[in-house]
Amino acid sequence: MVIDTIKTITQGTRQINASNSYQFLSIPVFVQYIIVERPSWSLAAVAGANFNLYSRYSNEINNASTVPLQSTSQKSTDKNSIGVAVFGGLRFGKRIGKRMDLFAMPSVNWSLQQQHIKNSILDKKIQQLGINIGVSYKLN
């Protein structure tokens, strides 16, 4: 009997492209307090809660740059749970009509509980910083 050992050493570079995506559908419930209101602009504080009704997570990994992305999300029988997040921001408005404003609102969305999203590897609290941009219309 002869002891034989085979040793292979490979050196190189591997590039992995990955995509992690979260999608949320939430119902916002907010209150707004106007701090300053001028004829052409306004500043307000906004606070409230987002009630998350639907969440979706996808994770795709590509091992070779010539191969299209393949989904690696594992199927799970777990269901999504409804999450709640508190919301706060400062709303800067610019009047563009008698009842219309163009606004920008830097904000933070802070989860109170874990999201429990189906197919997600880690169930965790998801915090978001962002800026909301839009048009508002005063009803009264």
Side-chain angles (χ1 to χ4, degrees):
M1 294 192 12
V2 177
I3 297 177
D4 187 19
T5 303
I6 299 173
K7 184 185 250 186
T8 304
I9 298 174
T10 305
Q11 292 181 337
T13 303
R14 175 184 273 183
Q15 182 177 1
I16 298 175
N17 297 317
S19 170
N20 286 306
S21 174
Y22 291 91
Q23 297 175 351
F24 300 102
L25 176 63
S26 300
I27 293 180
V29 178
F30 301 142
V31 293
Q32 176 176 287
Y33 176 76
I34 298 173
I35 299 168
V36 178
E37 187 166 28
R38 301 283 188 252
S40 62
W41 64 276
S42 64
L43 173 66
V46 180
N50 279 318
F51 296 94
N52 186 21
L53 301 179
Y54 172 79
S55 300
R56 182 176 167 199
Y57 169 76
S58 65
N59 175 15
E60 297 175 336
I61 297 177
N62 176 355
N63 291 334
S65 60
T66 59
V67 179
L69 289 174
Q70 300 294 322
S71 175
T72 60
S73 295
Q74 296 182 2
K75 300 297 180 200
S76 172
T77 58
D78 295 338
K79 293 185 178 180
N80 297 338
S81 66
I82 294 178
V84 178
V86 293
F87 176 92
L90 282 176
R91 182 185 181 279
F92 301 95
K94 171 73 174 135
R95 183 130 324 138
I96 58 173
K98 188 171 184 173
R99 292 182 172 219
M100 291 182 75
D101 281 356
L102 179 64
F103 72 88
M105 181 172 49
S107 62
V108 63
N109 202 30
W110 193 268
S111 292
L112 299 176
Q113 60 196 35
Q114 292 178 332
Q115 294 294 319
H116 301 292
I117 301 170
K118 185 170 35 172
N119 296 333
S120 179
I121 296 170
L122 298 173
D123 288 329
K124 58 184 175 181
K125 295 179 181 181
I126 297 176
Q127 316 322 335
Q128 298 172 327
L129 294 174
I131 185 162
N132 302 298
I133 299 171
V135 176
S136 63
Y137 181 80
K138 290 184 181 180
L139 295 175
N140 58 0

